[in-house]
mmCIF file with all atom_site columns, all heavy atoms in Angstrom:
data_model
loop_
_atom_site.group_PDB
_atom_site.id
_atom_site.type_symbol
_atom_site.label_atom_id
_atom_site.label_alt_id
_atom_site.label_comp_id
_atom_site.label_asym_id
_atom_site.label_entity_id
_atom_site.label_seq_id
_atom_site.pdbx_PDB_ins_code
_atom_site.Cartn_x
_atom_site.Cartn_y
_atom_site.Cartn_z
_atom_site.occupancy
_atom_site.B_iso_or_equiv
_atom_site.pdbx_formal_charge
_atom_site.auth_seq_id
_atom_site.auth_comp_id
_atom_site.auth_asym_id
_atom_site.auth_atom_id
_atom_site.pdbx_PDB_model_num
ATOM   1  N N   . SER A 1 41  ? -5.332 24.463 -1.395 1.00 98.00 ? 63  SER A N   1
ATOM   2  C CA  . SER A 1 41  ? -5.190 25.828 -1.469 1.00 98.00 ? 63  SER A CA  1
ATOM   3  C C   . SER A 1 41  ? -6.563 26.439 -1.151 1.00 98.00 ? 63  SER A C   1
ATOM   4  O O   . SER A 1 41  ? -7.676 25.714 -1.224 1.00 98.00 ? 63  SER A O   1
ATOM   5  C CB  . SER A 1 41  ? -4.689 26.480 -2.710 1.00 98.00 ? 63  SER A CB  1
ATOM   6  O OG  . SER A 1 41  ? -3.423 26.059 -2.900 1.00 98.00 ? 63  SER A OG  1
ATOM   7  N N   . THR A 1 47  ? -7.424 34.343 -1.684 1.00 98.00 ? 69  THR A N   1
ATOM   8  C CA  . THR A 1 47  ? -6.278 34.863 -0.829 1.00 98.00 ? 69  THR A CA  1
ATOM   9  C C   . THR A 1 47  ? -6.104 36.319 -1.143 1.00 98.00 ? 69  THR A C   1
ATOM   10 O O   . THR A 1 47  ? -5.891 37.243 -0.369 1.00 98.00 ? 69  THR A O   1
ATOM   11 C CB  . THR A 1 47  ? -4.996 34.077 -1.021 1.00 98.00 ? 69  THR A CB  1
ATOM   12 O OG1 . THR A 1 47  ? -5.420 32.720 -0.782 1.00 98.00 ? 69  THR A OG1 1
ATOM   13 C CG2 . THR A 1 47  ? -3.979 34.491 0.079  1.00 98.00 ? 69  THR A CG2 1
ATOM   14 N N   . GLU A 1 74  ? -8.199 28.786 3.052  1.00 98.00 ? 96  GLU A N   1
ATOM   15 C CA  . GLU A 1 74  ? -7.929 27.390 3.116  1.00 98.00 ? 96  GLU A CA  1
ATOM   16 C C   . GLU A 1 74  ? -8.819 26.672 4.044  1.00 98.00 ? 96  GLU A C   1
ATOM   17 O O   . GLU A 1 74  ? -9.188 25.494 3.777  1.00 98.00 ? 96  GLU A O   1
ATOM   18 C CB  . GLU A 1 74  ? -6.455 27.154 3.416  1.00 98.00 ? 96  GLU A CB  1
ATOM   19 C CG  . GLU A 1 74  ? -5.440 27.180 2.393  1.00 98.00 ? 96  GLU A CG  1
ATOM   20 C CD  . GLU A 1 74  ? -5.178 28.557 1.702  1.00 98.00 ? 96  GLU A CD  1
ATOM   21 O OE1 . GLU A 1 74  ? -5.557 29.563 2.307  1.00 98.00 ? 96  GLU A OE1 1
ATOM   22 O OE2 . GLU A 1 74  ? -4.418 28.717 0.748  1.00 98.00 ? 96  GLU A OE2 1
ATOM   23 N N   . ARG A 1 150 ? 3.139  33.485 -0.337 1.00 96.00 ? 172 ARG A N   1
ATOM   24 C CA  . ARG A 1 150 ? 2.304  33.245 -1.451 1.00 96.00 ? 172 ARG A CA  1
ATOM   25 C C   . ARG A 1 150 ? 2.786  31.928 -2.098 1.00 96.00 ? 172 ARG A C   1
ATOM   26 O O   . ARG A 1 150 ? 3.886  31.656 -2.388 1.00 96.00 ? 172 ARG A O   1
ATOM   27 C CB  . ARG A 1 150 ? 2.255  34.391 -2.404 1.00 96.00 ? 172 ARG A CB  1
ATOM   28 C CG  . ARG A 1 150 ? 1.684  35.745 -1.869 1.00 96.00 ? 172 ARG A CG  1
ATOM   29 C CD  . ARG A 1 150 ? 0.373  35.515 -1.062 1.00 96.00 ? 172 ARG A CD  1
ATOM   30 N NE  . ARG A 1 150 ? -0.759 34.977 -2.006 1.00 96.00 ? 172 ARG A NE  1
ATOM   31 C CZ  . ARG A 1 150 ? -1.635 35.751 -2.641 1.00 96.00 ? 172 ARG A CZ  1
ATOM   32 N NH1 . ARG A 1 150 ? -1.559 37.014 -2.703 1.00 96.00 ? 172 ARG A NH1 1
ATOM   33 N NH2 . ARG A 1 150 ? -2.470 35.029 -3.389 1.00 96.00 ? 172 ARG A NH2 1
ATOM   34 N N   . GLY A 1 151 ? 1.712  31.049 -2.515 1.00 97.00 ? 173 GLY A N   1
ATOM   35 C CA  . GLY A 1 151 ? 2.060  29.889 -3.176 1.00 97.00 ? 173 GLY A CA  1
ATOM   36 C C   . GLY A 1 151 ? 2.470  28.829 -2.228 1.00 97.00 ? 173 GLY A C   1
ATOM   37 O O   . GLY A 1 151 ? 2.943  27.750 -2.678 1.00 97.00 ? 173 GLY A O   1
ATOM   38 N N   . SER A 1 153 ? 1.063  26.558 -0.321 1.00 98.00 ? 175 SER A N   1
ATOM   39 C CA  . SER A 1 153 ? 0.613  25.329 -0.121 1.00 98.00 ? 175 SER A CA  1
ATOM   40 C C   . SER A 1 153 ? 1.333  24.217 -0.888 1.00 98.00 ? 175 SER A C   1
ATOM   41 O O   . SER A 1 153 ? 1.222  23.114 -0.398 1.00 98.00 ? 175 SER A O   1
ATOM   42 C CB  . SER A 1 153 ? -0.907 25.218 -0.740 1.00 98.00 ? 175 SER A CB  1
ATOM   43 O OG  . SER A 1 153 ? -1.717 26.139 -0.174 1.00 98.00 ? 175 SER A OG  1
HETATM 44 N N1  . LIG B 2 .   ? -3.699 30.431 -1.106 1.00 56.03 ? 23  LIG B N1  1
HETATM 45 C C1  . LIG B 2 .   ? -2.341 30.791 -1.038 1.00 56.03 ? 23  LIG B C1  1
HETATM 46 C C2  . LIG B 2 .   ? -1.954 31.788 -2.104 1.00 56.03 ? 23  LIG B C2  1
HETATM 47 O O1  . LIG B 2 .   ? -2.753 32.229 -2.931 1.00 56.03 ? 23  LIG B O1  1
HETATM 48 C C3  . LIG B 2 .   ? -1.474 29.621 -1.012 1.00 56.03 ? 23  LIG B C3  1
HETATM 49 C C4  . LIG B 2 .   ? -1.382 28.788 -2.202 1.00 56.03 ? 23  LIG B C4  1
HETATM 50 O O2  . LIG B 2 .   ? -2.306 29.064 -3.188 1.00 56.03 ? 23  LIG B O2  1
HETATM 51 O O3  . LIG B 2 .   ? -0.462 28.023 -2.418 1.00 56.03 ? 23  LIG B O3  1
HETATM 52 O O4  . LIG B 2 .   ? -0.814 32.188 -2.248 1.00 56.03 ? 23  LIG B O4  1
#
Side-chain angles (χ1 to χ4, degrees):
S63 294
T69 310
E96 274 72 10
R172 298 307 304 270
S175 298

